[in-house]
Amino acid sequence: MGTNPPSVKSLTRILVALTLLGIATRATDATQSGIGIVYKDGARALGLQLANDQACFVDIDNDHFTDIICGGVIWHNERGKKFTNIGSASNVVAADYDNDGNVDLFSWSQRKLMRNLGNGKFAEMPLPDLPAAVCRGACWTDFNNDGFVDLVIGGYEDWDRGITYPTFFLRNDAGKAFTKIVDVATSRTRGVTAADYDRDGNPDIYMSNYRLQANNLYNIGKDGMSLRDLAMERRAVATSEGFDGGHSIGAAWGDIDNDGWLDLFAGNFAHVDSRGDQPKSRFLRNTGPSGKFVFDDIGTCGVFYQESYASPALADVDNDGRIDLFFTTVYGTASFGRPNNPVLLRNSGACWFNDVTAVAGVGGIDSTYQAAFGDIDNDGLLELASGGKLYRGTQPAKHHWLGVQLIGNGRTVNRSAIGAQVVVHIGRQKLVRQVEAGTGEGNQGDLRLHFGLGNVSEAVDAEVYWPDGTRQVLHHVQVDRMQVITQGGGRTTYR
């Protein structure tokens, strides 16, 4: 005797159950993906000759339009209409180290500090003597909470000579000079990124380490001198059974479940060879105060296997209120007979990500470490720099958004507000973003924070958690525009 086919409701329940169990399949078309935005390369139309190199989105002249620094060139944004080559800088992360209101540049590849003179010019500033090293990334963070951003510079390796280079922690002495307080040469570090994920007032630095070495989660004590690795204690090593660590190239902080706490995505290159099933990339969910801020390794969450994953970036590309993942690869379309390609993975909720690379128009990107997001025309749609191209949304996602630029007081909080977090309240959800200067492997996204709001069109409430421990409550924040929020002061808007 035959049986009746399952109802649509039953199939829906089955699909939801499979998704929660981590068994759901990858989306293959626009209907399934729900991405609602299509990207196309717009570099040529903007006059950009973007190199296939790590990128930094930052507003260098305070005109409210984010510029791009990439491949040795400072590309000035002419009000979202075109870009002009105005100078040179190579592989940088950016922050206002002397609190004068102008964003400065640190080149991690050349280990040079360039002070922004405020007239479109930069002057190289002295740093303490540092031994020769290979560096793949760095980040700014105020690790001693004195109101001035410090530098963490990753040390990688010389494989042929069997050398592991040290990672340096440089303390900013009130914007006048830098002092090397500690260095460690135990890990082959590639990506460097920081966050105060437990909001205890002490930012933590996540080091992505290669060669099957465990990743580090460094905390510098309030004395600004003592260094502790909390990765094992907080379960943030990003590995799997039988291995000490993975082949990590880059990591990114972001709240993937909208609970108001920053989670961590750790990207792993994972060979298939005689050493066994090497650790795959994984999401580390922040358990928050109820879980004592230990990270819960929830696995790949839909990030399908490719051997050569490299540098990740997290951002809400379709403004639906959930941050998505863009993830590059070392191998290209035909490298070593194992084709890999960068992917865009949409956060569909329930800690699951669907592949929307093709339908979003970013298929076919070749080998690259370039992965950074920024809004070049202040329209609420994020641009993506990757593979030497600048991808722009040509089919706008029909969702609302909010942009937030934070300005610290320059005394207890650095002017760039590095380390500050904003939490936007939407019903029971809490969307959190942080100001960061360094993500993935050597990239940097816009210092302005971007929130997708989905169908929320009315004003929202928000909180700013400043790095000095103060909290600023904001009521009735208007959406679909850029908000400038000054610590302890008012707010202005622009678009």
Side-chain angles (χ1 to χ4, degrees), residues 96-100 104 113 115 125-127 140 142 144 146-150 170-179 410-411 414:
D96 183 359
Y97 82 86
D98 54 1
N99 292 339
D100 68 348
D104 311 294
L113 176 64
R115 181 170 179 261
M125 304 301 290
L127 287 173
W140 294 95
D142 185 4
N144 62 346
D146 66 348
F148 290 87
V149 285
D150 311 295
L170 301 184
R171 186 188 66 219
N172 183 346
D173 298 325
K176 306 299 183 183
F178 284 80
T179 301
R411 299 183 305 276
N414 66 93

Side-chain angles (χ1 to χ4, degrees), residues 26 96 178 196 215 220 225 293 425 429 473 486:
R26 291 163 52 192
D96 183 359
F178 284 80
D196 185 5
N215 292 343
I220 294 184
M225 298 292 289
F293 298 103
H425 297 266
Q429 295 191 80
V473 179
T486 303

Side-chain angles (χ1 to χ4, degrees), residues 42-48 65-67 75-85 376-377 392:
R44 179 175 296 182
L46 292 165
L48 273 170
F65 286 89
T66 188
D67 310 298
W75 292 100
H76 183 256
N77 185 348
E78 309 289 346
R79 304 189 66 81
K81 305 298 184 183
K82 67 176 183 177
F83 283 81
T84 305
N85 182 341
I376 67 165
D377 50 6
R392 305 188 70 183

